[in-house]
Amino acid sequence: MKIVVLDGYVLNPGDLSWSGIEALGELKVYDRTTPEETLTRIGDAEAIFTNKTVLTNEILKACPKLKFVGVLATGYNVLDVNYARKLGITVCNVPAYSTMSVAQFTLGLLLEICHNIGSHSIGVMSGEWTRSKDFSYWNTPLIELDGKTFGIIGFGKIGKAVAKIVQTLGMKVVVYSHYRDKNLESDTFKFVSLDELFSVSDVISLHCPLSEKTQGIINKENITKMKDGVIILNTGRGALVVEQDLADSLNTGKVYGAAVDVIAVEPMQKDNPLLKAKNCIITPHIAWAPLEARRRLMNIATDNLTGFIANAPINVVN
């Protein structure tokens, strides 16, 4: 079997091994692939892996030997999975590999907004503490989370993990989700409508899939429903947020702070309004990327192709 990895660098910049997939056939790994290179690089491969390289219907149709597409991610909007099915192409994704990594990162973003640990450390290193007349100083407001309300939009595995973590900090949790289990509700946890979540939350965190219903869910109209001084976190998908609306609300102070690990267009464009917004933390889509999570992703991707070859495919999305 000829196997091609179209864009393997972000998953494996050199600290992992492709040996598991290599054992399954003749493997060619490319760090990155442009749209112009995609068709040629697939060639007569029977199996390919892609992370963010888009596979148009025209490309799929032009590759009659292609029978398997492994997406090196949970999301699989880089191709039309229904069209792939019509062509007899099995598409598999990698679910739930980064649950705890993303949950941990979400907490890290929140704590950075609350304490500005990084900027205070930089201040100390630059001599601010040695020049201080007092034993203690702070350059920004410091926020205690105990007793505050944490709103979660989307309640998959990551949303559930985040809920568990923030409850240990003494926070109350409210959740908006199509999935509701009343047995989970307690004095510190309940399911609510979206409008109620907006109105009662001190912190709002996005953990829902991107769809027609959720695209731009953080927008000017919905921000007006929120508490003054709300904190917004996004480790889901960039397009869940109307970035200009969020930037405007940060600059007016309606939103106290925001931390986003994802942007609507990635890599980030120079004119993105969040780059000039007040009290906004932006990280380059790394919540998923600890070595442990990437190793898990590699193993599941290998298992996906192994199962397909054995006529027992797993994690099939089409």
Side-chain angles (χ1 to χ4, degrees):
M1 172 176 281
K2 289 188 176 182
I3 309 165
V4 173
V5 178
L6 292 172
D7 50 354
Y9 182 81
V10 174
L11 167 60
N12 180 18
D15 53 359
L16 295 174
S17 172
W18 296 103
S19 60
I21 295 175
E22 194 171 21
L24 300 174
E26 178 186 334
L27 176 64
K28 178 66 177 178
V29 178
Y30 296 98
D31 285 347
R32 303 168 188 85
T33 295
T34 67
E36 295 75 23
E37 295 169 330
T38 304
L39 184 57
T40 301
R41 288 186 171 180
I42 294 174
D44 60 352
E46 300 160 82
I48 65 172
F49 287 93
T50 178
N51 193 329
K52 295 296 182 286
T53 300
V54 175
L55 303 174
T56 64
N57 288 354
E58 290 74 21
I59 288 174
L60 294 176
K61 188 175 182 181
C63 300
K65 290 193 175 182
L66 185 61
K67 298 301 177 186
F68 172 90
V69 173
V71 181
L72 299 172
T74 302
Y76 44 87
N77 58 335
V78 293
L79 77 162
D80 183 337
V81 295
N82 293 321
Y83 186 76
R85 184 183 69 245
K86 292 178 182 178
L87 297 178
I89 299 171
T90 297
V91 181
C92 298
N93 75 334
V94 182
Y97 69 92
S98 64
T99 298
M100 293 313 300
S101 292
V102 177
Q104 172 183 305
F105 196 86
T106 301
L107 179 63
L109 293 176
L110 177 59
L111 294 179
E112 180 61 23
I113 289 177
C114 291
H115 299 288
N116 285 280
I117 296 168
S119 64
H120 280 94
S121 177
I122 291 171
V124 168
M125 297 301 179
S126 66
E128 289 183 17
W129 203 5
T130 60
R131 295 189 297 269
S132 175
K133 295 180 181 180
D134 303 301
F135 77 96
S136 172
Y137 76 92
W138 51 94
N139 294 327
T140 61
L142 305 177
I143 301 170
E144 181 179 281
L145 294 170
D146 182 59
K148 290 184 170 58
T149 299
F150 191 99
I152 300 175
I153 300 178
F155 202 55
K157 291 185 178 181
I158 295 174
K160 291 174 183 175
V162 170
K164 184 176 180 180
I165 291 172
V166 298
Q167 281 180 293
T168 66
L169 299 176
M171 301 190 77
K172 298 176 182 178
V173 173
V174 294
V175 173
Y176 171 73
S177 173
H178 295 300
Y179 164 83
R180 295 189 173 207
D181 184 351
K182 290 293 184 179
N183 293 323
L184 296 176
E185 294 196 330
S186 67
D187 292 341
T188 60
F189 180 99
K190 68 175 181 175
F191 293 96
V192 296
S193 68
L194 187 60
D195 281 349
E196 184 176 352
L197 184 144
F198 288 145
S199 68
V200 303
S201 297
D202 299 292
V203 181
I204 295 174
S205 192
L206 304 178
H207 299 288
C208 55
L210 179 62
S211 67
E212 291 183 2
K213 291 183 178 180
T214 61
Q215 183 168 356
I217 196 168
I218 301 300
N219 55 47
K220 182 178 181 179
E221 179 182 355
N222 285 336
I223 290 173
T224 62
K225 303 173 185 177
M226 300 177 191
K227 287 183 176 182
D228 291 344
V230 67
I231 294 170
I232 296 176
L233 312 174
N234 186 14
T235 54
R237 289 290 182 266
L240 297 171
V241 174
V242 179
E243 290 164 347
Q244 186 64 62
D245 292 354
L246 178 57
D248 291 343
S249 300
L250 284 163
N251 290 333
T252 64
K254 171 67 178 179
V255 176
Y256 170 75
V260 299
D261 184 52
V262 285
I263 296 296
V265 178
E266 297 174 346
M268 194 174 199
Q269 304 299 296
K270 293 180 180 179
D271 61 350
N272 190 296
L274 293 177
L275 286 171
K276 296 182 179 180
K278 296 178 181 178
N279 207 18
C280 185
I281 296 170
I282 306 170
T283 51
H285 205 147
I286 56 172
W288 67 281
L291 175 61
E292 295 85 352
R294 288 185 290 110
R295 183 181 290 120
R296 199 175 297 119
L297 192 162
M298 180 74 81
N299 290 340
I300 296 172
T302 303
D303 289 344
N304 285 347
L305 182 54
T306 302
F308 172 78
I309 293 172
N311 201 30
I314 57 175
N315 298 318
V316 178
V317 296
N318 69 337

